[in-house]
Amino acid sequence: MDIKQTQAFSAINKATEKAQQLGVNANITILDTSGHLKAFLRMDDAFLGSIDIAMGKAKTSMLFRMNSEAVGEFLNPENGTYGMTNTSGGLVGFKGGMAVKAAGEIVAYIGVSGGSPDQDFVIATAGSEL
Amino acid sequence: MDIKQTQAFSAINKATEKAQQLGVNANITILDTSGHLKAFLRMDDAFLGSIDIAMGKAKTSMLFRMNSEAVGEFLNPENGTYGMTNTSGGLVGFKGGMAVKAAGEIVAYIGVSGGSPDQDFVIATAGSEL
Amino acid sequence: MDIKQTQAFSAINKATEKAQQLGVNANITILDTSGHLKAFLRMDDAFLGSIDIAMGKAKTSMLFRMNSEAVGEFLNPENGTYGMTNTSGGLVGFKGGMAVKAAGEIVAYIGVSGGSPDQDFVIATAGSEL
Amino acid sequence: MDIKQTQAFSAINKATEKAQQLGVNANITILDTSGHLKAFLRMDDAFLGSIDIAMGKAKTSMLFRMNSEAVGEFLNPENGTYGMTNTSGGLVGFKGGMAVKAAGEIVAYIGVSGGSPDQDFVIATAGSEL
């Protein structure tokens, strides 16, 4: 079951409210479970460079079906996975990307960028439960 | 004056309502006046191939500050503008891209793809006046 | 329901047999319904340049949920759809891309290149019914 | 002597059987000795992000005629080879890429991704002897 447009806007609205509480200007991306763009919002004054980071976190989470920071553990060069970070057009392995669930089932992936990784994680989490 | 997040969602909602009236499943892109992504929605069952077309129409309109089909007149190979279609990462020169105005001033560009060019034009027009 | 690995090989084998009957050395691509690569075979002596064409035909068919040559009708510059051919990383709008069905349901998309468009169409058709 | 289509499927089948023994869902790429795609299989439930990693491992092994993890030793930033990882469209320098031999001669390169690097190595090895 892939995410519906009303669900996608609901996820973005929940994330936006949390971002406003934290005083963060975030970019928020919703990808379907195959990685195709479903919805996006750049909050006012959010960094332009964070558009692509938000896209990358959601994509990275989707590609490996785990949080973006969990993929990041595999990207640590100390693990010897040289070049993995450049695969699939570039992976983004820090906090802010995760699955979006409805009734316990994964329906999409969300990527958030604009604050600190910890803030982005909290904002994404707010949008991850429909 | 660049578009605000509430205005961007307003534009998408107006376009979505028009699309639903026409029975079209559309992709709707809002770019700021510099061409950076502000907001996006892929309506349910919209063609995946139309994501990029909607992006391209809005970009093309922004780059030349005219409707996408007006840029298209310059792209007609009969005009001898060989290769112009490939500039700026690829132009899309048919109906569905135009400026978004608030109080008579351009604040963004909208791109719509999913129906026929004429349908896309009507849907984009619905989202172009805030 | 997305295509299984055994079904993907079955589709490739059916297409390969048909290609051998026709004396064509074909490239055969199977994409899932979201466009991610599932299986591929380059038959011996097939053109290297046809690898990407086979990929493009399957992608084009998937993106618009119709045969690649049906998308091609929209790409005709006489229709004024300038630049559409360059969207989504490049569309390929001639015969050889179509849906793969199992029990009447679309489970994948096949793209074939190596012979004439008509030969590619016949080969793809052979692989399109599981 | 470049790999034949029947040999390519044989290599993929051997690797697939090994992966199933290990309980790994792998992506398996076969490139010819020039680096052009010959055959590919994404096993059911394999990570989408591993498609490109499998491709990258086989390419990396082919480009330097050694196992992908042997190339990885040159990519370690401690060696001062800054930027080498980005060459040739991106190298992938960990286990899972190696030559495929028939009668002692290199006829292709195999790349495997989906399990741990050690699992990918075992799976690739299974497909590397025809």
Side-chain angles (χ1 to χ4, degrees):
Chain A
M1 194 65 179
D2 239 331
I3 195 165
K4 299 295 183 189
Q5 66 192 61
T6 52
Q7 292 176 307
F9 268 177
S10 172
I12 285 184
N13 285 333
K14 288 180 178 185
T16 301
E17 284 176 26
K18 179 60 70 181
Q20 285 169 333
Q21 288 172 20
L22 298 173
V24 171
N25 305 313
N27 290 273
I28 304 160
T29 295
I30 306 291
L31 302 182
D32 69 20
T33 55
S34 301
H36 296 288
L37 187 61
K38 183 67 182 178
F40 174 84
L41 178 66
R42 171 160 53 95
M43 291 175 65
D44 299 334
D45 300 318
F47 291 124
L48 293 176
S50 289
I51 300 172
D52 200 43
I53 298 174
M55 296 282 190
K57 287 176 179 176
K59 181 185 75 172
T60 298
S61 179
M62 180 278 302
L63 285 168
F64 295 99
R65 300 193 295 267
M66 60 185 80
N67 279 15
S68 52
E69 73 273 19
V71 179
E73 292 181 21
F74 294 100
L75 302 181
N76 187 327
E78 291 183 1
N79 291 334
T81 53
Y82 307 119
M84 181 174 167
T85 189
N86 295 326
T87 57
S88 295
L91 301 176
V92 179
F94 53 102
K95 284 183 178 174
M98 62 183 64
V100 176
K101 292 183 180 178
E105 192 194 358
I106 296 176
V107 294
Y109 289 86
I110 187 169
V112 172
S113 181
S116 70
D118 282 341
Q119 288 174 320
D120 292 344
F121 176 86
V122 171
I123 296 165
T125 301
S128 71
E129 289 289 340
L130 297 178
Chain B
M1 194 65 180
D2 238 334
I3 194 165
K4 299 293 182 190
Q5 67 193 58
T6 51
Q7 292 175 307
F9 268 177
S10 172
I12 285 183
N13 284 334
K14 288 180 179 186
T16 302
E17 283 175 27
K18 179 60 71 181
Q20 285 169 333
Q21 287 173 19
L22 298 174
V24 171
N25 306 313
N27 290 272
I28 305 160
T29 296
I30 306 291
L31 302 182
D32 68 20
T33 54
S34 302
H36 295 289
L37 187 62
K38 181 67 182 179
F40 175 83
L41 177 68
R42 171 160 53 95
M43 291 175 66
D44 300 333
D45 299 319
F47 289 126
L48 293 175
S50 290
I51 299 172
D52 199 43
I53 297 174
M55 296 284 190
K57 286 176 179 175
K59 181 184 73 172
T60 298
S61 180
M62 181 278 303
L63 285 168
F64 296 98
R65 298 194 297 271
M66 60 183 82
N67 279 14
S68 52
E69 73 273 19
V71 180
E73 293 181 22
F74 296 99
L75 302 180
N76 189 326
E78 292 182 2
N79 291 334
T81 54
Y82 307 120
M84 180 175 168
T85 188
N86 295 326
T87 57
S88 296
L91 301 176
V92 178
F94 52 104
K95 285 183 177 175
M98 61 182 65
V100 176
K101 293 183 180 178
E105 193 193 1
I106 295 176
V107 294
Y109 289 86
I110 187 169
V112 172
S113 181
S116 70
D118 283 341
Q119 288 174 320
D120 293 344
F121 177 85
V122 171
I123 296 165
T125 301
S128 71
E129 289 290 339
L130 296 177
Chain C
M1 195 64 179
D2 239 332
I3 194 164
K4 300 293 183 192
Q5 66 192 60
T6 51
Q7 291 176 306
F9 268 176
S10 172
I12 285 183
N13 284 333
K14 288 180 178 185
T16 302
E17 283 176 26
K18 179 60 69 178
Q20 286 168 332
Q21 289 172 18
L22 298 173
V24 171
N25 305 314
N27 290 274
I28 304 159
T29 296
I30 305 290
L31 303 182
D32 69 21
T33 55
S34 302
H36 296 288
L37 187 62
K38 182 67 183 177
F40 174 83
L41 177 66
R42 171 159 54 94
M43 290 175 65
D44 300 334
D45 300 318
F47 292 124
L48 293 177
S50 290
I51 299 172
D52 200 43
I53 297 174
M55 297 283 190
K57 287 176 179 176
K59 180 184 75 171
T60 297
S61 179
M62 180 279 302
L63 285 169
F64 295 97
R65 299 194 295 267
M66 61 185 81
N67 279 15
S68 52
E69 74 273 18
V71 179
E73 293 181 22
F74 294 100
L75 302 181
N76 188 329
E78 292 184 1
N79 291 333
T81 54
Y82 306 119
M84 181 173 168
T85 188
N86 295 326
T87 58
S88 295
L91 301 176
V92 179
F94 52 101
K95 284 183 177 176
M98 62 183 65
V100 176
K101 293 184 180 178
E105 194 194 359
I106 295 176
V107 294
Y109 289 86
I110 187 170
V112 173
S113 181
S116 70
D118 282 342
Q119 288 174 320
D120 293 343
F121 176 86
V122 170
I123 296 165
T125 301
S128 70
E129 290 288 341
L130 297 177
Chain D
M1 194 64 178
D2 239 333
I3 195 166
K4 299 294 183 189
Q5 66 193 60
T6 51
Q7 291 175 307
F9 268 177
S10 172
I12 285 183
N13 284 333
K14 287 180 178 185
T16 302
E17 282 176 26
K18 180 58 71 179
Q20 285 168 333
Q21 289 172 19
L22 297 173
V24 171
N25 305 313
N27 290 273
I28 305 159
T29 295
I30 306 291
L31 302 182
D32 68 21
T33 55
S34 302
H36 295 289
L37 187 61
K38 183 67 182 180
F40 174 84
L41 178 67
R42 171 159 53 96
M43 291 174 66
D44 300 333
D45 300 317
F47 290 127
L48 293 176
S50 289
I51 299 172
D52 199 43
I53 297 175
M55 296 284 190
K57 287 176 178 174
K59 181 185 73 172
T60 298
S61 180
M62 181 279 302
L63 284 168
F64 296 97
R65 298 192 298 269
M66 59 184 81
N67 279 15
S68 51
E69 72 273 20
V71 180
E73 292 181 21
F74 296 100
L75 302 181
N76 189 326
E78 291 182 2
N79 291 335
T81 53
Y82 309 119
M84 181 176 167
T85 187
N86 295 326
T87 57
S88 297
L91 301 176
V92 178
F94 52 103
K95 284 183 178 174
M98 62 183 64
V100 176
K101 293 183 180 177
E105 191 194 2
I106 295 176
V107 294
Y109 289 87
I110 187 170
V112 172
S113 181
S116 70
D118 283 341
Q119 289 174 320
D120 292 344
F121 177 85
V122 171
I123 296 165
T125 301
S128 71
E129 289 290 341
L130 296 176

